[in-house]
Amino acid sequence: MKNTTQLSYLHSNSKTFKETIHALLVKMTDKQRIVSLSFFGASTEADYEEQFTVLKTEVLHAFDGKMPLVTYIIQPLGSPEEMAVEVFRLSSGTAYKSVEYKTKGDVRYVVFEWMEHKALMIEGVRAKSTLDSVAEQSDEIFQKIDAILYDEQIGIHEIVRQWNYIGKITDYKNGIQNYQAFNNARARFYSKADWGNCGYPAATGIGMAVDGILVSLIAVSSKADIQITPIDNPLQIAAHHYSQSMLLGPKRNETPKFERAKWVRDGFGGVCFISGTAAIRGEQSMHDLDVVLQTRQTIENIQYLVSSENLKRHGVINVVDLNLIALRVYIKNLDFLNTVKAEVEKVWPSIPVLYIQADICRTELLVEIEGLATQD
């Protein structure tokens, strides 16, 4: 699967929103292979819809009417005017049977097939109104996703990577934390599937600076031999096994349903989706650590997670080293940007990294890191 996946990051900082988007699009090469664009920047609830319309119009024009998937995530960068885009490309080294963009309702997605494999990517799915409760928005979003998966004959249990952006993630409404309300809705959706031994998806649950929920994902289905393996981390209790003391709500609540990582390997190679990872050991936050030590411990968690020793524990053999090809680093307070960046670059000096501001799912956590690793 390695050869199907390429990620890169572009940055721009211009006077107006439209000029910034244009500057990002001009930098893109090999547009015919780009299937998904995830934009990051600062905005407000009042400006979001207008900006998103401008964004899609500019992308459509730049791609000569053949628009890739577009997601707009409100997570600021170093300055209010700065924006970045994560560019997801399909490699020219894989012979695809087909790459088809589709729309269902107000949601766009792409289906691509190679060998006997089928993959689906869905751009950021939103609810109709951010005034609805987190539970109502989440249920609506998962209903939309469910309908797409049904149409494409892909099971819920075949989701391998999911991104969950939750507005004001640690705030409370009606006595329940927004993140917990989302987790309860996700568990309702997942309960429709038989997960068996395949494990939940790799996932990130992270904050946004505005209200609303946004969910995007990748699913993989195959009629041939393909290895899809959930990867746990002995340094951390699996999130879906957290005790009730870690869940914030007025009554019994659902655990976060995700794996620490997900390994997918086909005849071309392997890819490891690394979930959002923070300074948690066991199930406890290392809240007494400062931002430097939290960053170091987060890096240690990821290093062991993708180590050949840990992969072998999960039946992933003949893997000596994985190549990290991209990282997203979420920082609670951008005053710590240079400090966190210095720690990351000590360990991964040449890997493309996107640094963005976002609240983490626990108020005491200051940094979260996710990534993508591959092997030939």
Side-chain angles (χ1 to χ4, degrees):
M1 176 124 183
K2 176 200 172 182
N3 290 337
T4 68
T5 306
Q6 294 182 356
L7 278 182
S8 60
Y9 300 116
L10 301 172
H11 292 76
S12 181
N13 191 335
S14 299
K15 291 182 180 180
T16 69
F17 180 83
K18 186 174 181 178
E19 289 173 342
T20 301
I21 297 302
H22 179 72
L24 288 171
L25 293 170
V26 166
K27 295 179 181 180
M28 294 180 191
T29 59
D30 297 326
K31 286 188 173 70
Q32 71 277 6
R33 294 195 292 111
I34 294 173
V35 295
S36 178
L37 299 174
S38 297
F39 290 86
F40 300 83
S43 186
T44 65
E45 292 167 19
D47 293 336
Y48 181 85
E49 292 297 339
E50 180 179 351
Q51 288 183 340
F52 197 21
T53 299
V54 171
L55 173 54
K56 289 184 287 188
T57 300
E58 291 298 308
V59 172
L60 185 64
H61 177 72
F63 282 76
D64 296 324
K66 298 178 181 179
M67 188 166 70
L69 305 184
V70 178
T71 301
Y72 182 26
I73 304 142
I74 306 306
Q75 292 173 334
L77 289 91
S79 68
E81 295 79 21
E82 185 179 359
M83 291 191 69
V85 60
E86 181 182 80
V87 182
F88 187 102
R89 286 182 175 85
L90 297 180
S91 172
S92 58
T94 304
Y96 294 99
K97 294 179 181 178
S98 64
V99 178
E100 185 176 4
Y101 293 89
K102 300 183 180 182
T103 301
K104 188 171 183 67
D106 60 351
V107 181
R108 296 181 68 244
Y109 63 100
V110 61
V111 177
F112 46 99
E113 300 185 42
W114 72 107
M115 296 172 64
E116 297 301 315
H117 314 313
K118 179 178 181 179
L120 175 148
M121 296 183 66
I122 303 178
E123 67 184 12
V125 185
R126 300 182 293 159
K128 291 181 179 179
S129 175
T130 59
L131 298 179
D132 291 340
S133 69
V134 170
E136 290 169 329
Q137 290 184 62
S138 302
D139 285 341
E140 180 185 338
I141 288 168
F142 286 126
Q143 287 171 6
K144 293 179 179 181
I145 292 171
D146 194 19
I148 292 171
L149 295 174
Y150 179 82
D151 282 357
E152 298 300 331
Q153 299 182 34
I154 294 177
I156 295 171
H157 68 284
E158 293 178 306
I159 300 171
V160 296
R161 185 57 165 105
Q162 189 169 309
W163 289 267
N164 310 297
Y165 307 100
I166 302 156
K168 302 172 184 176
I169 189 169
T170 56
D171 283 5
Y172 281 75
K173 293 181 181 178
N174 300 320
I176 186 169
Q177 187 198 52
N178 287 343
Y179 182 52
Q180 186 59 63
F182 174 82
N183 284 332
N184 294 345
R186 172 168 53 179
R188 287 191 291 272
F189 174 52
Y190 284 1
S191 69
K192 300 169 65 174
D194 180 5
W195 293 89
N197 296 322
C198 63
Y200 295 113
T204 301
I206 199 72
M208 287 194 300
V210 296
D211 283 329
I213 310 294
L214 195 62
V215 176
S216 59
L217 59 83
I218 300 172
V220 177
S221 181
S222 178
K223 297 178 181 178
D225 184 26
I226 190 168
Q227 182 184 20
I228 301 179
T229 307
I231 307 299
D232 202 356
N233 190 341
L235 301 178
Q236 299 179 297
I237 292 174
H240 50 87
H241 287 155
Y242 282 166
S243 64
Q244 282 294 308
S245 63
M246 305 307 300
L247 311 181
L248 303 177
K251 55 184 179 180
R252 181 173 178 82
N253 290 290
E254 295 287 347
T255 55
K257 300 293 192 288
F258 71 93
E259 308 292 345
R260 298 298 179 189
K262 202 71 176 275
W263 171 258
V264 181
R265 184 177 181 87
D266 64 11
F268 291 107
V271 59
C272 188
F273 296 102
I274 301 166
S275 297
T277 304
I280 296 173
R281 289 292 168 91
E283 64 178 9
Q284 299 294 329
S285 302
M286 300 293 98
H287 52 79
D288 291 333
L289 302 182
D290 63 16
V291 69
V292 171
L293 295 178
Q294 282 200 22
T295 305
R296 290 176 182 174
Q297 189 169 89
T298 301
I299 291 170
E300 289 172 4
N301 285 342
I302 291 175
Q303 287 178 314
Y304 188 75
L305 176 69
V306 300
S307 67
S308 57
E309 175 186 350
N310 192 48
L311 292 174
K312 189 178 294 184
R313 290 179 67 253
H314 294 84
V316 179
I317 58 175
N318 300 322
V319 176
V320 178
D321 291 303
L322 287 180
N323 306 308
L324 276 170
I325 65 168
L327 296 169
R328 287 192 207 170
V329 178
Y330 303 96
I331 306 171
K332 184 172 182 177
N333 187 335
L334 283 178
D335 290 342
F336 298 138
L337 173 59
N338 291 333
T339 301
V340 172
K341 187 175 182 180
E343 292 300 319
V344 172
E345 291 182 345
K346 285 179 186 177
V347 181
W348 297 306
S350 59
I351 296 172
V353 182
L354 177 63
Y355 296 91
I356 37 186
Q357 188 279 321
D359 285 338
I360 317 301
C361 63
R362 300 183 186 181
T363 56
E364 66 271 16
L365 294 175
L366 305 174
V367 179
E368 182 166 321
I369 303 175
E370 66 172 70
L372 184 69
T374 63
Q375 191 200 36
D376 291 335

